[in-house]
Amino acid sequence: MLKPATTRALAALLLLAAPALAQQTVNLRDADVRAFIQDVSRATGRTFIIDPRVQGKVTVVSERPLDQAGYFELFLSTLRANGLVVTPAAGGAFRVAPADAAASQPSGAMGRDRFETTVVQLNFIDAASAIETLRPLVSREGQVTANRAGNAVIIADYADNVARVRALARQIDQDRAAVRVIALKNAGAREIATSLSQVAQGSAEGRGWQVAAVDASNSLVVRGDPATVAKLARTIADLDQAAAAGSDVRVFFLNHADAEKLVPVLQQLVGQPVSPASQSAPQVQPTQSAFGNPSAPGQQAQAGPAASAPLPQAPSGGSLGTSGFVPGASIGRGQAVIARYEGANAIVIAAPADVQRRLGEVVRQLDVRREQVLVEAVIVEISDIAAQRLGVQFLLTGTGGSNIPFSVTNYSNAAPNLLAVAGAIAAENRYGQDNATTVALRNSAVSSLLNANGGQFGFGGNLSSNAVFGFVVNAVKADTASNVLSTPSVVTLDNAQARILVGQNVPIATGQALSNNFDNAFRTVQRQDIGIALDVRPQINAGGTIKLTLRQEVSSIATAVVTQNVPDLILNKREINTTVTVDDGQIVALGGLIDDNERRAIEKVPLLGDIPLLGNLFRSRSQNRTKTNLMVFIRPTIIRTAADAAAMTGDKYQYVRAEQARREGTADTSIDALVRDYLKAPIPGAPPPPAPPKP
């Protein structure tokens, strides 16, 4: 806003470059306005652009001589009085137009008669209410509108009138609301605040006041105009007094918490004995508690030191865990009995009003919806096994009474067993095919031949009528590669144990015995889970971090062995027990193993096996190499809302659906048909159907 002194200074500056004009009086009666503008242009040296709608007569009379600045101010005031306004234009010119369109024209520094647009920000009153007060104060050509989003008022009018309206808006934009704290004795503060808020939603008067509950002092903070605050105070007092005469028995229907787990917590608060039987069939007989013994008429109940302990308060918006309770601590005086109704998830509390109110506040803080956590694990195991064997066996022996010595090479890492084969042939020649010794040696030779792998080369025969020989070369090379990738996942509530197992339940022999008569053998068997198991308990901490207490196990059957004619199993087992803290949605490596195991074995005949080149006929070599890479990764994700749960379900479903569609080669998969036809539910993760066209 320009001050009068500034206005005069600007008017003087506009006339500095104009031709000198002596002071003179002005006396115009019913003069044409266009001729008047032309005279002013000639006197000031300024250019004026006249709107075609500018028409009419003007009358100007001055009793005293005017200088250039006074003459120009008189010109602006005359145009304003006749419904015209002067606004700056490009090139230093001025535009003269009717004032009814001035609100849409740019403003300029033209003194108090210029048109100005300003924004007045309101802090306390509503913009719509302020408009009703300010609209009659603007001129006929001015405008005033409300910006509801920013709670502001936009004013377009002559500069002097804008200054007046702005000052008035500042005066009415004052905080005249009264604030009052009302302490409650019988009713619960949050319960009363919720009821008043529900009433305020359906009434127009409720928009002008606010109420908030203070759990720590069981009081209400009311804010509004003094008359409304006084009326609310009387209503709150009536409700608090009515609560004092209310029933001593109250039923709390729980929305999220489990009544079976909540009852022991409340029983600890009032000193009621807690036992497993009381959770399923609560004790209803009066018991001695921290509230004090049931007193005879006229006798005051006595309480121990713990009776004066205050009730633990939970932070605003949080829940009060059982770790904050002290067994036997008192939250009031009197007799209280807490029971659970098995027919519904409800708790029945019989207690005086003040005790009942405090227990109800504890129930409210604990009966909150718990967030969920999706825990996904990735188990990667890559292993390579390479084995090489090269062995040479020979046999030379005489028959009958020959003097040819017996000579043989036999190695544990070579197959088949040349001694078993030669023994079976010799026994058959000497004892016949049906002899028991021949049969036993023949079975041993067959087993040795069946266990042989790789390439086998050999020959044998008679050197003479009383000598035989044999020669076997065994060569094996084996490469085994495995890549195991498992991704178990499970969803559980915050601070709730969860387990997923994908595998088999196999029998493991634990013992074998005979009866007293040694005629009835029996074995004891214990079954064990074999596969991939994930046990986890997530705990959501402040800041979105998640504490995971978990156990990850990967087990499999390696091979079967026979010990004393009892089959046993050898198990591969990989297990991680740990506690980690992970940010929401982040991946952390729990642990792993990188193992590179190489084993070489050489069996040879002493001295002969050391001869260069020729020594290869008297030795057997084997080489085994096992390389294993095992890593376990974990990723927890917090599911806070139903939308998060729907998005997670949609992603998992669409992945399975895509795999099934690829296998079946059709867009309408069997899982879609099951969900659509049997469950009568929409396809998770599918886009919503298009809206029907409007008629």
Side-chain angles (χ1 to χ4, degrees):
M1 175 179 175
L2 296 177
K3 297 181 180 179
T6 307
T7 303
R8 290 191 295 270
L10 290 174
L13 290 175
L14 292 173
L15 300 176
L16 287 178
L21 178 66
Q23 294 186 359
Q24 62 178 9
T25 59
V26 180
N27 191 354
L28 300 176
R29 299 182 182 274
D30 294 331
D32 184 72
V33 66
R34 290 178 174 267
F36 179 51
I37 295 174
Q38 185 177 3
D39 292 342
V40 174
S41 176
R42 185 182 304 110
T44 60
R46 296 294 181 179
T47 302
F48 294 93
I49 303 173
I50 305 175
D51 191 278
R53 296 174 295 172
V54 176
Q55 301 292 336
K57 305 291 185 178
V58 296
T59 298
V60 183
V61 178
S62 64
E63 297 294 338
R64 58 182 179 84
L66 300 174
D67 56 6
Q68 293 182 356
Y71 186 43
F72 196 77
E73 287 186 4
L74 177 65
F75 168 69
L76 297 177
S77 300
T78 302
L79 293 184
R80 176 178 177 179
N82 288 271
L84 302 175
V85 66
V86 179
T87 57
F94 296 90
R95 182 185 296 107
V96 181
D100 55 1
S104 60
Q105 299 294 331
S107 60
M110 292 296 298
R112 64 183 181 86
D113 295 312
R114 71 184 179 93
F115 231 82
E116 182 181 271
T117 301
T118 186
V119 178
V120 180
Q121 186 70 40
L122 303 177
N123 298 320
F124 303 102
I125 64 174
D126 183 65
S129 302
I131 287 296
E132 299 178 0
T133 305
L134 300 178
R135 181 175 284 115
L137 302 179
V138 298
S139 64
R140 182 183 58 183
E141 297 82 7
Q143 295 181 4
V144 56
T145 57
N147 181 10
R148 299 180 182 273
N151 196 35
V153 174
I154 303 174
I155 305 171
D157 204 349
Y158 290 102
D160 55 351
N161 204 30
V162 167
R164 183 170 61 91
V165 175
R166 184 194 295 114
L168 180 61
R170 295 301 184 193
Q171 293 179 9
I172 65 175
D173 185 29
Q174 301 292 331
D175 185 13
R176 295 181 175 86
V179 179
R180 184 173 176 181
V181 179
I182 304 174
L184 302 178
K185 298 181 180 179
N186 305 299
R190 188 168 296 274
E191 185 177 1
I192 298 297
T194 303
S195 302
L196 293 177
S197 299
Q198 293 177 354
V199 174
Q201 293 176 359
S203 63
E205 296 180 356
R207 302 174 183 174
W209 54 271
Q210 296 175 334
V211 59
V214 181
D215 297 329
S217 59
N218 192 40
S219 57
L220 295 174
V221 179
V222 184
R223 181 181 182 275
D225 61 90
T228 303
V229 170
K231 185 187 301 183
L232 288 174
R234 291 191 296 269
T235 303
I236 294 172
D238 294 341
L239 294 174
D240 189 33
Q241 185 177 1
S247 174
D248 289 340
V249 179
R250 185 176 178 184
V251 179
F252 294 89
F253 288 93
L254 303 180
N255 298 319
H256 306 285
D258 189 355
E260 183 177 1
K261 297 180 179 179
L262 187 56
V263 164
V265 176
L266 301 178
Q267 290 175 341
Q268 290 180 7
L269 285 176
V270 300
Q272 181 177 340
V274 180
S275 63
S278 67
Q279 299 180 16
S280 58
Q283 300 288 337
V284 295
Q285 298 296 330
T287 58
Q288 182 177 358
S289 68
F291 286 104
N293 299 327
S295 304
Q299 180 181 2
Q300 184 178 4
Q302 299 295 327
S308 61
L311 173 66
Q313 297 292 335
S316 178
S319 61
L320 188 60
T322 58
S323 61
F325 297 137
V326 179
S330 172
I331 61 174
R333 288 194 176 272
Q335 178 182 338
V337 178
I338 303 170
R340 177 175 67 93
Y341 175 56
E342 295 183 359
N345 190 30
I347 296 177
V348 182
I349 300 178
D354 58 339
V355 177
Q356 196 175 94
R357 175 186 58 78
R358 296 192 181 187
L359 290 178
E361 183 62 23
V362 174
V363 171
R364 184 197 63 79
Q365 296 185 38
L366 293 178
D367 187 25
V368 295
R369 177 173 177 173
R370 296 160 63 185
E371 296 177 337
Q372 302 181 94
V373 179
L374 167 65
V375 181
E376 300 171 290
V378 177
I379 306 168
V380 184
E381 182 177 356
I382 305 172
S383 62
D384 293 318
I385 301 175
Q388 294 181 357
R389 291 199 302 269
L390 177 61
V392 179
Q393 302 178 76
F394 70 89
L395 171 67
L396 176 63
T397 183
T399 60
S402 65
N403 295 324
I404 298 177
F406 174 79
S407 177
V408 64
T409 59
N410 186 24
Y411 307 107
S412 61
N413 57 4
N417 192 327
L418 191 56
L419 280 177
V421 176
I425 296 174
E428 183 177 351
N429 292 334
R430 182 170 182 176
Y431 302 110
Q433 296 182 354
D434 299 331
N435 184 267
T437 303
T438 303
V439 173
L441 292 175
R442 186 190 302 125
N443 292 337
S444 177
V446 171
S447 177
S448 177
L449 291 172
L450 292 177
N451 290 332
N453 51 20
Q456 310 292 331
F457 172 75
F459 60 90
N462 297 323
L463 292 178
S464 61
S465 59
N466 54 0
V468 295
F469 74 97
F471 187 89
V472 177
V473 178
N474 173 230
V476 178
K477 183 177 182 180
D479 291 323
T480 303
S482 63
N483 184 8
V484 180
L485 179 64
S486 304
T487 57
S489 61
V490 65
V491 178
T492 182
L493 286 174
D494 177 26
N495 206 32
Q497 184 73 25
R499 173 179 171 83
I500 183 174
L501 171 65
V502 180
Q504 297 175 313
N505 189 264
V506 300
I508 306 294
T510 59
Q512 184 175 6
L514 295 174
S515 64
N516 294 332
N517 297 328
F518 301 99
D519 58 354
N520 184 17
F522 65 91
R523 288 190 302 156
T524 57
V525 177
Q526 179 182 0
R527 289 191 169 271
Q528 182 175 342
D529 293 332
I530 300 298
I532 298 175
L534 174 63
D535 294 87
V536 61
R537 179 188 292 272
Q539 177 181 323
I540 302 176
N541 301 327
T545 60
I546 305 172
K547 178 182 177 182
L548 296 176
T549 302
L550 55 86
R551 173 180 171 271
Q552 175 71 65
E553 178 182 327
V554 180
S555 57
S556 60
I557 300 175
T559 184
V561 295
V562 178
T563 304
Q564 296 180 355
N565 297 326
V566 178
D568 288 331
L569 297 178
I570 298 178
L571 304 180
N572 295 326
K573 189 173 183 180
R574 302 154 184 86
E575 181 178 352
I576 295 177
N577 282 289
T578 184
T579 301
V580 295
T581 299
V582 192
D583 290 336
D584 179 22
Q586 299 298 317
I587 299 176
V588 64
L590 291 183
L593 171 67
I594 299 177
D595 182 37
D596 192 354
N597 187 6
E598 183 176 0
R599 180 180 180 183
R600 296 182 182 182
I602 299 179
E603 298 182 16
K604 61 182 178 178
V605 178
L607 300 179
L608 296 178
D610 297 329
I611 301 175
L613 298 179
L614 186 60
N616 292 325
L617 300 177
F618 301 95
R619 71 179 67 163
S620 176
R621 299 179 179 178
S622 65
Q623 179 179 357
N624 294 315
R625 181 175 184 180
T626 304
K627 187 174 183 180
T628 303
N629 295 323
L630 173 65
M631 294 298 293
V632 179
F633 303 91
I634 203 80
R635 179 178 183 262
T637 304
I638 301 176
I639 302 176
R640 293 184 171 87
T641 62
D644 295 341
M648 181 273 296
T649 304
D651 292 342
K652 302 297 183 183
Y653 181 91
Q654 290 299 323
Y655 173 80
V656 174
R657 182 185 180 278
E659 292 296 319
Q660 193 174 53
R662 180 179 59 84
R663 180 180 294 273
E664 297 178 358
T666 177
D668 190 10
T669 61
S670 57
I671 189 174
D672 287 345
L674 183 64
V675 172
R676 181 180 59 250
D677 302 334
Y678 180 73
L679 299 180
K680 306 297 183 182
I683 303 300
K694 296 182 180 180

